mmCIF file of all heavy atoms in Angstrom:
data_model
loop_
_atom_site.group_PDB
_atom_site.id
_atom_site.type_symbol
_atom_site.label_atom_id
_atom_site.label_comp_id
_atom_site.label_asym_id
_atom_site.label_seq_id
_atom_site.Cartn_x
_atom_site.Cartn_y
_atom_site.Cartn_z
ATOM 1 N N THR D 41 -25.500 17.938 15.322
ATOM 2 C CA THR D 41 -26.616 18.881 15.464
ATOM 3 C C THR D 41 -27.854 18.174 16.006
ATOM 4 O O THR D 41 -28.522 18.667 16.938
ATOM 5 C CB THR D 41 -26.928 19.530 14.107
ATOM 6 O OG1 THR D 41 -25.765 20.198 13.622
ATOM 7 C CG2 THR D 41 -28.069 20.530 14.236
ATOM 8 N N ILE D 42 -28.179 17.011 15.424
ATOM 9 C CA ILE D 42 -29.354 16.262 15.887
ATOM 10 C C ILE D 42 -29.168 15.797 17.321
ATOM 11 O O ILE D 42 -30.087 15.882 18.155
ATOM 12 C CB ILE D 42 -29.608 15.064 14.945
ATOM 13 C CG1 ILE D 42 -30.018 15.569 13.558
ATOM 14 C CG2 ILE D 42 -30.683 14.148 15.514
ATOM 15 C CD1 ILE D 42 -30.124 14.476 12.521
ATOM 16 N N ASN D 43 -27.977 15.298 17.618
ATOM 17 C CA ASN D 43 -27.709 14.849 18.983
ATOM 18 C C ASN D 43 -27.838 15.997 19.984
ATOM 19 O O ASN D 43 -28.405 15.828 21.081
ATOM 20 C CB ASN D 43 -26.312 14.247 19.052
ATOM 21 C CG ASN D 43 -25.923 13.831 20.453
ATOM 22 O OD1 ASN D 43 -26.425 12.842 20.991
ATOM 23 N ND2 ASN D 43 -25.026 14.584 21.088
ATOM 24 N N GLY D 44 -27.327 17.186 19.624
ATOM 25 C CA GLY D 44 -27.422 18.332 20.521
ATOM 26 C C GLY D 44 -28.863 18.746 20.771
ATOM 27 O O GLY D 44 -29.250 19.049 21.911
ATOM 28 N N ARG D 45 -29.667 18.740 19.678
ATOM 29 C CA ARG D 45 -31.066 19.139 19.846
ATOM 30 C C ARG D 45 -31.840 18.118 20.669
ATOM 31 O O ARG D 45 -32.651 18.488 21.548
ATOM 32 C CB ARG D 45 -31.709 19.323 18.473
ATOM 33 C CG ARG D 45 -31.195 20.551 17.723
ATOM 34 C CD ARG D 45 -31.925 20.750 16.416
ATOM 35 N NE ARG D 45 -31.467 21.963 15.736
ATOM 36 C CZ ARG D 45 -31.930 22.379 14.563
ATOM 37 N NH1 ARG D 45 -32.880 21.672 13.952
ATOM 38 N NH2 ARG D 45 -31.470 23.488 14.023
ATOM 39 N N LEU D 46 -31.626 16.842 20.391
ATOM 40 C CA LEU D 46 -32.327 15.800 21.160
ATOM 41 C C LEU D 46 -31.920 15.865 22.633
ATOM 42 O O LEU D 46 -32.773 15.722 23.530
ATOM 43 C CB LEU D 46 -32.015 14.426 20.576
ATOM 44 C CG LEU D 46 -32.625 14.122 19.205
ATOM 45 C CD1 LEU D 46 -32.170 12.753 18.721
ATOM 46 C CD2 LEU D 46 -34.153 14.179 19.272
ATOM 47 N N LYS D 47 -30.640 16.055 22.889
ATOM 48 C CA LYS D 47 -30.179 16.131 24.277
ATOM 49 C C LYS D 47 -30.808 17.325 24.984
ATOM 50 O O LYS D 47 -31.272 17.213 26.137
ATOM 51 C CB LYS D 47 -28.654 16.250 24.294
ATOM 52 C CG LYS D 47 -28.067 16.287 25.702
ATOM 53 C CD LYS D 47 -26.602 16.654 25.679
ATOM 54 C CE LYS D 47 -26.418 18.137 25.346
ATOM 55 N NZ LYS D 47 -25.029 18.592 25.498
ATOM 56 N N THR D 48 -30.852 18.473 24.305
ATOM 57 C CA THR D 48 -31.430 19.676 24.915
ATOM 58 C C THR D 48 -32.911 19.473 25.237
ATOM 59 O O THR D 48 -33.388 19.807 26.332
ATOM 60 C CB THR D 48 -31.256 20.879 23.977
ATOM 61 O OG1 THR D 48 -29.862 21.098 23.755
ATOM 62 C CG2 THR D 48 -31.873 22.135 24.573
ATOM 63 N N GLU D 49 -33.652 18.910 24.246
ATOM 64 C CA GLU D 49 -35.082 18.693 24.475
ATOM 65 C C GLU D 49 -35.324 17.683 25.590
ATOM 66 O O GLU D 49 -36.238 17.867 26.427
ATOM 67 C CB GLU D 49 -35.737 18.220 23.171
ATOM 68 C CG GLU D 49 -35.769 19.292 22.083
ATOM 69 C CD GLU D 49 -36.346 18.770 20.786
ATOM 70 O OE1 GLU D 49 -36.734 17.576 20.748
ATOM 71 O OE2 GLU D 49 -36.419 19.548 19.815
ATOM 72 N N LEU D 50 -34.516 16.627 25.640
ATOM 73 C CA LEU D 50 -34.694 15.610 26.679
ATOM 74 C C LEU D 50 -34.391 16.170 28.060
ATOM 75 O O LEU D 50 -35.166 15.966 29.022
ATOM 76 C CB LEU D 50 -33.782 14.414 26.384
ATOM 77 C CG LEU D 50 -33.799 13.274 27.424
ATOM 78 C CD1 LEU D 50 -35.202 12.679 27.540
ATOM 79 C CD2 LEU D 50 -32.779 12.207 27.058
ATOM 80 N N LEU D 51 -33.290 16.905 28.176
ATOM 81 C CA LEU D 51 -32.926 17.464 29.478
ATOM 82 C C LEU D 51 -33.934 18.526 29.922
ATOM 83 O O LEU D 51 -34.299 18.594 31.109
ATOM 84 C CB LEU D 51 -31.519 18.063 29.407
ATOM 85 C CG LEU D 51 -30.376 17.073 29.194
ATOM 86 C CD1 LEU D 51 -29.049 17.808 29.091
ATOM 87 C CD2 LEU D 51 -30.324 16.039 30.319
ATOM 88 N N ASN D 52 -34.387 19.347 28.988
ATOM 89 C CA ASN D 52 -35.395 20.346 29.342
ATOM 90 C C ASN D 52 -36.690 19.680 29.784
ATOM 91 O O ASN D 52 -37.384 20.171 30.709
ATOM 92 C CB ASN D 52 -35.670 21.284 28.167
ATOM 93 C CG ASN D 52 -34.532 22.253 27.928
ATOM 94 O OD1 ASN D 52 -33.666 22.430 28.783
ATOM 95 N ND2 ASN D 52 -34.517 22.900 26.759
ATOM 96 N N ALA D 53 -37.015 18.566 29.124
ATOM 97 C CA ALA D 53 -38.237 17.849 29.525
ATOM 98 C C ALA D 53 -38.099 17.265 30.932
ATOM 99 O O ALA D 53 -39.053 17.304 31.730
ATOM 100 C CB ALA D 53 -38.534 16.746 28.516
ATOM 101 N N ILE D 54 -36.924 16.719 31.247
ATOM 102 C CA ILE D 54 -36.704 16.175 32.596
ATOM 103 C C ILE D 54 -36.796 17.274 33.649
ATOM 104 O O ILE D 54 -37.464 17.132 34.689
ATOM 105 C CB ILE D 54 -35.339 15.470 32.662
ATOM 106 C CG1 ILE D 54 -35.339 14.221 31.774
ATOM 107 C CG2 ILE D 54 -34.980 15.105 34.103
ATOM 108 C CD1 ILE D 54 -33.987 13.553 31.674
ATOM 109 N N VAL D 55 -36.119 18.411 33.392
ATOM 110 C CA VAL D 55 -36.136 19.522 34.350
ATOM 111 C C VAL D 55 -37.551 20.072 34.494
ATOM 112 O O VAL D 55 -38.023 20.382 35.614
ATOM 113 C CB VAL D 55 -35.151 20.619 33.906
ATOM 114 C CG1 VAL D 55 -35.303 21.865 34.780
ATOM 115 C CG2 VAL D 55 -33.721 20.099 33.971
ATOM 116 N N ALA D 56 -38.287 20.197 33.383
ATOM 117 C CA ALA D 56 -39.654 20.721 33.429
ATOM 118 C C ALA D 56 -40.572 19.785 34.216
ATOM 119 O O ALA D 56 -41.452 20.242 34.988
ATOM 120 C CB ALA D 56 -40.182 20.927 32.007
ATOM 121 N N HIS D 57 -40.409 18.469 34.033
ATOM 122 C CA HIS D 57 -41.233 17.510 34.764
ATOM 123 C C HIS D 57 -40.974 17.591 36.268
ATOM 124 O O HIS D 57 -41.928 17.638 37.083
ATOM 125 C CB HIS D 57 -40.941 16.101 34.253
ATOM 126 C CG HIS D 57 -41.634 15.030 35.033
ATOM 127 N ND1 HIS D 57 -42.986 14.801 34.948
ATOM 128 C CD2 HIS D 57 -41.154 14.127 35.963
ATOM 129 C CE1 HIS D 57 -43.326 13.810 35.755
ATOM 130 N NE2 HIS D 57 -42.222 13.380 36.380
ATOM 131 N N GLU D 58 -39.676 17.633 36.642
ATOM 132 C CA GLU D 58 -39.354 17.719 38.065
ATOM 133 C C GLU D 58 -39.826 19.054 38.648
ATOM 134 O O GLU D 58 -40.295 19.131 39.789
ATOM 135 C CB GLU D 58 -37.845 17.565 38.260
ATOM 136 C CG GLU D 58 -37.314 16.204 37.878
ATOM 137 C CD GLU D 58 -37.827 15.094 38.787
ATOM 138 O OE1 GLU D 58 -38.229 15.401 39.939
ATOM 139 O OE2 GLU D 58 -37.832 13.927 38.352
ATOM 140 N N MET D 59 -39.696 20.137 37.871
ATOM 141 C CA MET D 59 -40.149 21.433 38.350
ATOM 142 C C MET D 59 -41.661 21.455 38.530
ATOM 143 O O MET D 59 -42.194 22.052 39.496
ATOM 144 C CB MET D 59 -39.711 22.529 37.371
ATOM 145 C CG MET D 59 -40.085 23.943 37.805
ATOM 146 S SD MET D 59 -39.256 24.436 39.338
ATOM 147 C CE MET D 59 -37.589 24.745 38.706
ATOM 148 N N SER D 60 -42.397 20.799 37.639
ATOM 149 C CA SER D 60 -43.855 20.738 37.758
ATOM 150 C C SER D 60 -44.264 20.035 39.044
ATOM 151 O O SER D 60 -45.194 20.484 39.758
ATOM 152 C CB SER D 60 -44.447 20.026 36.544
ATOM 153 O OG SER D 60 -45.852 19.866 36.693
ATOM 154 N N GLU D 61 -43.563 18.935 39.378
ATOM 155 C CA GLU D 61 -43.876 18.228 40.619
ATOM 156 C C GLU D 61 -43.532 19.088 41.836
ATOM 157 O O GLU D 61 -44.272 19.107 42.839
ATOM 158 C CB GLU D 61 -43.120 16.909 40.679
ATOM 159 C CG GLU D 61 -43.612 15.882 39.664
ATOM 160 C CD GLU D 61 -42.921 14.529 39.850
ATOM 161 O OE1 GLU D 61 -41.976 14.445 40.678
ATOM 162 O OE2 GLU D 61 -43.315 13.566 39.167
ATOM 163 N N LEU D 62 -42.396 19.809 41.747
ATOM 164 C CA LEU D 62 -42.007 20.659 42.867
ATOM 165 C C LEU D 62 -43.027 21.775 43.076
ATOM 166 O O LEU D 62 -43.415 22.095 44.231
ATOM 167 C CB LEU D 62 -40.625 21.240 42.625
ATOM 168 C CG LEU D 62 -40.093 22.231 43.667
ATOM 169 C CD1 LEU D 62 -40.004 21.560 45.053
ATOM 170 C CD2 LEU D 62 -38.733 22.778 43.256
ATOM 171 N N VAL D 63 -43.511 22.374 42.021
ATOM 172 C CA VAL D 63 -44.489 23.449 42.126
ATOM 173 C C VAL D 63 -45.801 22.934 42.725
ATOM 174 O O VAL D 63 -46.467 23.616 43.528
ATOM 175 C CB VAL D 63 -44.724 24.097 40.745
ATOM 176 C CG1 VAL D 63 -45.912 25.068 40.788
ATOM 177 C CG2 VAL D 63 -43.480 24.817 40.284
ATOM 178 N N ASP D 64 -46.165 21.716 42.351
ATOM 179 C CA ASP D 64 -47.414 21.156 42.860
ATOM 180 C C ASP D 64 -47.306 20.741 44.326
ATOM 181 O O ASP D 64 -48.268 20.889 45.110
ATOM 182 C CB ASP D 64 -47.826 19.939 42.019
ATOM 183 C CG ASP D 64 -48.229 20.333 40.602
ATOM 184 O OD1 ASP D 64 -48.556 21.520 40.383
ATOM 185 O OD2 ASP D 64 -48.178 19.454 39.696
ATOM 186 N N ASP D 65 -46.150 20.210 44.737
ATOM 187 C CA ASP D 65 -46.014 19.639 46.068
ATOM 188 C C ASP D 65 -45.542 20.634 47.111
ATOM 189 O O ASP D 65 -45.788 20.463 48.326
ATOM 190 C CB ASP D 65 -45.038 18.459 46.045
ATOM 191 C CG ASP D 65 -45.555 17.315 45.195
ATOM 192 O OD1 ASP D 65 -46.773 17.269 44.945
ATOM 193 O OD2 ASP D 65 -44.714 16.469 44.760
ATOM 194 N N TYR D 66 -44.837 21.692 46.714
ATOM 195 C CA TYR D 66 -44.215 22.577 47.696
ATOM 196 C C TYR D 66 -45.249 23.293 48.585
ATOM 197 O O TYR D 66 -45.037 23.423 49.805
ATOM 198 C CB TYR D 66 -43.326 23.604 46.995
ATOM 199 C CG TYR D 66 -42.557 24.474 47.959
ATOM 200 C CD1 TYR D 66 -41.417 23.989 48.607
ATOM 201 C CD2 TYR D 66 -42.997 25.780 48.258
ATOM 202 C CE1 TYR D 66 -40.724 24.792 49.500
ATOM 203 C CE2 TYR D 66 -42.303 26.576 49.152
ATOM 204 C CZ TYR D 66 -41.157 26.083 49.765
ATOM 205 O OH TYR D 66 -40.474 26.859 50.663
ATOM 206 N N PRO D 67 -46.359 23.790 48.072
ATOM 207 C CA PRO D 67 -47.309 24.497 48.954
ATOM 208 C C PRO D 67 -47.829 23.630 50.089
ATOM 209 O O PRO D 67 -48.151 24.133 51.168
ATOM 210 C CB PRO D 67 -48.427 24.910 47.993
ATOM 211 C CG PRO D 67 -47.762 24.998 46.659
ATOM 212 C CD PRO D 67 -46.773 23.886 46.658
ATOM 213 N N THR D 68 -47.913 22.300 49.862
ATOM 214 C CA THR D 68 -48.460 21.432 50.905
ATOM 215 C C THR D 68 -47.381 20.733 51.709
ATOM 216 O O THR D 68 -47.533 20.511 52.914
ATOM 217 C CB THR D 68 -49.363 20.383 50.266
ATOM 218 O OG1 THR D 68 -48.607 19.630 49.296
ATOM 219 C CG2 THR D 68 -50.573 21.029 49.594
ATOM 220 N N GLU D 69 -46.280 20.369 51.062
ATOM 221 C CA GLU D 69 -45.256 19.583 51.749
ATOM 222 C C GLU D 69 -44.098 20.427 52.236
ATOM 223 O O GLU D 69 -43.253 19.967 53.032
ATOM 224 C CB GLU D 69 -44.740 18.470 50.832
ATOM 225 C CG GLU D 69 -45.833 17.500 50.428
ATOM 226 C CD GLU D 69 -45.296 16.395 49.527
ATOM 227 O OE1 GLU D 69 -44.047 16.296 49.376
ATOM 228 O OE2 GLU D 69 -46.100 15.637 48.969
ATOM 229 N N GLY D 70 -43.942 21.627 51.730
ATOM 230 C CA GLY D 70 -42.865 22.496 52.189
ATOM 231 C C GLY D 70 -41.502 22.009 51.692
ATOM 232 O O GLY D 70 -41.357 21.482 50.578
ATOM 233 N N ASN D 71 -40.484 22.143 52.543
ATOM 234 C CA ASN D 71 -39.109 21.818 52.132
ATOM 235 C C ASN D 71 -38.908 20.347 51.840
ATOM 236 O O ASN D 71 -37.969 19.957 51.141
ATOM 237 C CB ASN D 71 -38.124 22.262 53.215
ATOM 238 C CG ASN D 71 -38.025 23.773 53.310
ATOM 239 O OD1 ASN D 71 -38.326 24.479 52.341
ATOM 240 N ND2 ASN D 71 -37.607 24.285 54.468
ATOM 241 N N SER D 72 -39.798 19.491 52.383
ATOM 242 C CA SER D 72 -39.662 18.056 52.106
ATOM 243 C C SER D 72 -39.938 17.734 50.645
ATOM 244 O O SER D 72 -39.579 16.670 50.150
ATOM 245 C CB SER D 72 -40.611 17.258 53.013
ATOM 246 O OG SER D 72 -41.966 17.626 52.745
ATOM 247 N N ALA D 73 -40.580 18.656 49.926
ATOM 248 C CA ALA D 73 -40.852 18.435 48.490
ATOM 249 C C ALA D 73 -39.659 18.783 47.615
ATOM 250 O O ALA D 73 -39.634 18.453 46.432
ATOM 251 C CB ALA D 73 -42.067 19.257 48.063
ATOM 252 N N ILE D 74 -38.682 19.483 48.205
ATOM 253 C CA ILE D 74 -37.502 19.881 47.415
ATOM 254 C C ILE D 74 -36.606 18.664 47.208
ATOM 255 O O ILE D 74 -36.170 18.039 48.178
ATOM 256 C CB ILE D 74 -36.726 20.999 48.132
ATOM 257 C CG1 ILE D 74 -37.619 22.229 48.343
ATOM 258 C CG2 ILE D 74 -35.485 21.369 47.323
ATOM 259 C CD1 ILE D 74 -36.965 23.325 49.168
ATOM 260 N N PRO D 75 -36.339 18.275 45.935
ATOM 261 C CA PRO D 75 -35.496 17.085 45.699
ATOM 262 C C PRO D 75 -34.036 17.367 46.039
ATOM 263 O O PRO D 75 -33.531 18.484 45.860
ATOM 264 C CB PRO D 75 -35.669 16.819 44.204
ATOM 265 C CG PRO D 75 -36.008 18.146 43.615
ATOM 266 C CD PRO D 75 -36.789 18.888 44.663
ATOM 267 N N HIS D 76 -33.389 16.356 46.513
ATOM 268 C CA HIS D 76 -31.945 16.464 46.792
ATOM 269 C C HIS D 76 -31.354 15.059 46.700
ATOM 270 O O HIS D 76 -31.368 14.281 47.649
ATOM 271 C CB HIS D 76 -31.698 17.045 48.195
ATOM 272 C CG HIS D 76 -30.258 17.410 48.417
ATOM 273 N ND1 HIS D 76 -29.709 18.601 47.991
ATOM 274 C CD2 HIS D 76 -29.242 16.722 49.017
ATOM 275 C CE1 HIS D 76 -28.432 18.649 48.309
ATOM 276 N NE2 HIS D 76 -28.129 17.501 48.937
ATOM 277 N N SER D 77 -30.909 14.718 45.496
ATOM 278 C CA SER D 77 -30.335 13.387 45.240
ATOM 279 C C SER D 77 -29.001 13.555 44.536
ATOM 280 O O SER D 77 -28.492 14.676 44.371
ATOM 281 C CB SER D 77 -31.310 12.558 44.395
ATOM 282 O OG SER D 77 -31.472 13.162 43.101
ATOM 283 N N ALA D 78 -28.443 12.423 44.111
ATOM 284 C CA ALA D 78 -27.125 12.471 43.453
ATOM 285 C C ALA D 78 -27.198 13.215 42.124
ATOM 286 O O ALA D 78 -26.230 13.854 41.704
ATOM 287 C CB ALA D 78 -26.593 11.058 43.243
ATOM 288 N N ASN D 79 -28.343 13.158 41.441
ATOM 289 C CA ASN D 79 -28.454 13.760 40.108
ATOM 290 C C ASN D 79 -29.303 15.013 40.083
ATOM 291 O O ASN D 79 -29.242 15.780 39.120
ATOM 292 C CB ASN D 79 -29.051 12.750 39.119
ATOM 293 C CG ASN D 79 -28.133 11.575 38.880
ATOM 294 O OD1 ASN D 79 -26.917 11.711 38.953
ATOM 295 N ND2 ASN D 79 -28.733 10.406 38.627
ATOM 296 N N LEU D 80 -30.125 15.227 41.106
ATOM 297 C CA LEU D 80 -31.063 16.341 41.066
ATOM 298 C C LEU D 80 -31.011 17.089 42.396
ATOM 299 O O LEU D 80 -31.199 16.503 43.463
ATOM 300 C CB LEU D 80 -32.480 15.835 40.795
ATOM 301 C CG LEU D 80 -33.549 16.900 40.601
ATOM 302 C CD1 LEU D 80 -33.257 17.726 39.347
ATOM 303 C CD2 LEU D 80 -34.932 16.236 40.483
ATOM 304 N N ILE D 81 -30.757 18.386 42.303
ATOM 305 C CA ILE D 81 -30.679 19.234 43.487
ATOM 306 C C ILE D 81 -31.632 20.395 43.287
ATOM 307 O O ILE D 81 -31.635 21.037 42.226
ATOM 308 C CB ILE D 81 -29.249 19.761 43.728
ATOM 309 C CG1 ILE D 81 -28.259 18.596 43.861
ATOM 310 C CG2 ILE D 81 -29.205 20.645 44.956
ATOM 311 C CD1 ILE D 81 -26.830 19.035 43.966
ATOM 312 N N GLY D 82 -32.472 20.670 44.336
ATOM 313 C CA GLY D 82 -33.433 21.753 44.240
ATOM 314 C C GLY D 82 -33.216 22.795 45.330
ATOM 315 O O GLY D 82 -32.670 22.510 46.392
ATOM 316 N N TYR D 83 -33.666 24.014 44.995
ATOM 317 C CA TYR D 83 -33.599 25.118 45.957
ATOM 318 C C TYR D 83 -34.885 25.920 45.808
ATOM 319 O O TYR D 83 -35.361 26.162 44.683
ATOM 320 C CB TYR D 83 -32.406 26.049 45.691
ATOM 321 C CG TYR D 83 -31.059 25.349 45.650
ATOM 322 C CD1 TYR D 83 -30.547 24.870 44.442
ATOM 323 C CD2 TYR D 83 -30.308 25.184 46.805
ATOM 324 C CE1 TYR D 83 -29.317 24.251 44.392
ATOM 325 C CE2 TYR D 83 -29.066 24.558 46.762
ATOM 326 C CZ TYR D 83 -28.575 24.097 45.543
ATOM 327 O OH TYR D 83 -27.355 23.476 45.495
ATOM 328 N N VAL D 84 -35.440 26.349 46.949
ATOM 329 C CA VAL D 84 -36.571 27.283 46.957
ATOM 330 C C VAL D 84 -36.205 28.376 47.959
ATOM 331 O O VAL D 84 -36.115 28.110 49.170
ATOM 332 C CB VAL D 84 -37.893 26.601 47.351
ATOM 333 C CG1 VAL D 84 -39.025 27.634 47.373
ATOM 334 C CG2 VAL D 84 -38.225 25.464 46.391
ATOM 335 N N VAL D 85 -35.989 29.567 47.476
ATOM 336 C CA VAL D 85 -35.485 30.638 48.333
ATOM 337 C C VAL D 85 -36.249 31.913 48.060
ATOM 338 O O VAL D 85 -36.775 32.145 46.961
ATOM 339 C CB VAL D 85 -33.979 30.874 48.117
ATOM 340 C CG1 VAL D 85 -33.171 29.652 48.531
ATOM 341 C CG2 VAL D 85 -33.706 31.243 46.670
ATOM 342 N N ALA D 86 -36.315 32.735 49.117
ATOM 343 C CA ALA D 86 -36.875 34.070 48.976
ATOM 344 C C ALA D 86 -35.804 34.981 48.385
ATOM 345 O O ALA D 86 -34.613 34.651 48.385
ATOM 346 C CB ALA D 86 -37.334 34.593 50.342
ATOM 347 N N PRO D 87 -36.189 36.153 47.881
ATOM 348 C CA PRO D 87 -35.191 37.051 47.291
ATOM 349 C C PRO D 87 -34.079 37.409 48.256
ATOM 350 O O PRO D 87 -32.927 37.576 47.833
ATOM 351 C CB PRO D 87 -36.019 38.273 46.894
ATOM 352 C CG PRO D 87 -37.389 37.734 46.648
ATOM 353 C CD PRO D 87 -37.587 36.641 47.655
ATOM 354 N N SER D 88 -34.381 37.485 49.540
ATOM 355 C CA SER D 88 -33.343 37.847 50.506
ATOM 356 C C SER D 88 -32.424 36.680 50.865
ATOM 357 O O SER D 88 -31.408 36.868 51.538
ATOM 358 C CB SER D 88 -34.001 38.380 51.796
ATOM 359 O OG SER D 88 -34.848 37.369 52.364
ATOM 360 N N GLU D 89 -32.766 35.483 50.376
ATOM 361 C CA GLU D 89 -31.985 34.283 50.736
ATOM 362 C C GLU D 89 -31.122 33.793 49.566
ATOM 363 O O GLU D 89 -30.601 32.678 49.589
ATOM 364 C CB GLU D 89 -32.929 33.167 51.185
ATOM 365 C CG GLU D 89 -33.752 33.523 52.414
ATOM 366 C CD GLU D 89 -34.781 32.459 52.735
ATOM 367 O OE1 GLU D 89 -35.157 31.687 51.827
ATOM 368 O OE2 GLU D 89 -35.204 32.401 53.907
#
Side-chain angles (χ1 to χ4, degrees):
T41 302
I42 294 173
N43 177 72
R45 290 184 177 180
L46 290 177
K47 182 190 73 172
T48 299
E49 292 177 1
L50 177 61
L51 293 178
N52 287 345
I54 293 174
V55 172
H57 174 73
E58 295 294 337
M59 182 64 75
S60 175
E61 291 186 353
L62 176 60
V63 171
D64 292 340
D65 296 340
Y66 185 77
T68 58
E69 299 181 9
N71 290 337
S72 62
I74 301 174
H76 191 83
S77 64
N79 294 330
L80 185 64
I81 303 174
Y83 305 91
V84 179
V85 296
S88 60
E89 299 174 338

